[in-house]
Amino acid sequence: NWGEKALKPYESIAEVARLGAEIQEAIVVWHIATDILLAKLGKLTVRIEQQDVLDLDVGAIKAISQFMMFLLVKRPAMLPGLAQIKLYQRTEETLAKEWGDAAAADKLAPTLKPPASWIHSVCTMFMEQLRCGGPNSDPRLQRREKLAKWLYEHMPELDEHGKSSRVRFGIQLARRLYEREKTEKDSLQIVLALWTDILVFTANRCSRESHAKQLSRGGELTTLIWLMTEHRHRHEESG
């Protein structure tokens, strides 16, 4: 299953990682947790070219996290299982409500324009980067950072009915990762390993028909990974 191998050495993180959940839900939860963790570490809005060499993992984390959200919203056929359009729409509704609460709490409501969509903004920026190769920085990203920090500091893990949501799962996971970072200094490596695991998992669980259709449109990163793993397995079998 996705994530089990990557998180096996980290029991405290695996406890809140949503292992066993559908891959679409996992992508949403881990994307939210990733944004919050990077925001708390002051790395969400930093351009790749401004980062220290030791922060190269951050660039890889951002790239895979945004790419997986892009597939979820724009290329759902490239993910295993049924398309979960409602999943990210409901998550966006929750985030929009929390943004309103954050603006009111900050007493900056007139100056804080709510993001049209946290998740959709990720996909928009990803498309802009594909077309222009530009850095991942614009006002939407700054609003995501502000909301991410507010969620970490103020949003409880359960709502008034004692229920959790994907947003709250993401916050709980981000808090666990951030607390670990204070002592172990390895949270970014854990997140990168997890996203890499998800990337390979989705590449190998996507249907052959979807891979073939996408190849006719120019291909996709997950299709390249699938072809590489297929080649490796056949080489091992023949050897």
Side-chain angles (χ1 to χ4, degrees):
N1 291 328
W2 67 264
E4 288 186 356
K5 184 175 182 180
L7 298 180
K8 188 174 182 179
Y10 313 106
E11 292 184 5
S12 63
I13 304 301
E15 289 174 357
V16 295
R18 301 294 292 160
L19 294 175
E22 292 290 335
I23 192 63
Q24 291 90 346
E25 179 176 350
I27 290 170
V28 171
V29 170
W30 273 89
H31 175 72
I32 292 171
T34 298
D35 263 24
I36 294 174
L37 176 64
L38 293 179
K40 288 293 292 180
L41 295 176
K43 298 178 183 295
L44 182 61
T45 59
V46 178
R47 297 183 182 185
I48 298 299
E49 63 267 25
Q50 295 174 330
Q51 292 173 352
D52 187 271
V53 174
L54 297 178
D55 278 343
L56 292 178
D57 284 355
V58 175
I61 289 169
K62 288 180 180 179
I64 302 175
S65 177
Q66 293 182 20
F67 174 66
M68 296 311 302
M69 284 306 310
F70 168 75
L71 291 184
L72 178 70
V73 179
K74 299 293 187 179
R75 304 275 195 275
M78 298 302 294
L79 297 176
L82 298 175
Q84 299 286 341
I85 302 300
K86 292 291 185 182
L87 184 150
Y88 85 85
Q89 291 175 341
R90 288 194 296 268
T91 303
E92 285 293 2
E93 292 171 1
T94 301
L95 289 167
K97 177 183 180 301
E98 297 307 326
W99 175 263
D101 292 345
D106 247 346
K107 299 181 181 178
L108 292 174
T111 61
L112 290 178
K113 296 180 180 179
S117 163
W118 182 342
I119 293 174
H120 189 266
S121 72
V122 173
C123 299
T124 301
M125 287 187 293
F126 185 83
M127 291 297 288
E128 289 171 352
Q129 290 176 77
L130 287 179
R131 290 195 296 267
C132 308
N136 187 11
S137 62
D138 63 19
R140 286 168 299 188
L141 187 55
Q142 295 172 10
R143 292 198 295 271
R144 277 169 54 198
E145 180 184 52
K146 191 172 186 67
L147 175 56
K149 289 181 178 179
W150 189 89
L151 290 171
Y152 183 94
E153 299 294 340
H154 300 287
M155 189 170 178
E157 293 177 4
L158 298 175
D159 62 19
E160 62 271 19
H161 303 294
K163 297 180 180 180
S164 190
S165 65
R166 294 171 193 88
V167 175
R168 288 179 167 83
F169 285 136
I171 295 167
Q172 181 186 35
L173 178 55
R175 287 172 177 161
R176 189 69 63 90
L177 287 164
Y178 185 64
E179 288 302 314
R180 181 183 178 89
E181 182 65 18
K182 294 178 181 178
T183 56
E184 303 299 328
K185 307 296 183 183
D186 62 357
S187 289
L188 292 176
Q189 289 75 28
I190 294 173
V191 174
L192 179 57
L194 187 283
W195 277 121
T196 303
D197 190 292
I198 288 179
L199 182 64
V200 176
F201 175 88
T202 55
N204 288 308
R205 294 299 182 92
C206 174
S207 70
R208 292 173 180 263
E209 291 78 9
S210 294
H211 279 305
K213 288 180 180 179
Q214 194 58 37
L215 275 173
S216 67
R217 303 187 185 104
E220 194 64 82
L221 174 60
T222 48
T223 301
L224 295 177
I225 294 173
W226 170 64
L227 291 172
M228 291 170 64
T229 54
E230 283 289 305
H231 175 75
R232 177 179 176 180
H233 290 159
R234 293 190 181 190
H235 177 74
E236 290 175 346
E237 290 174 357
S238 63

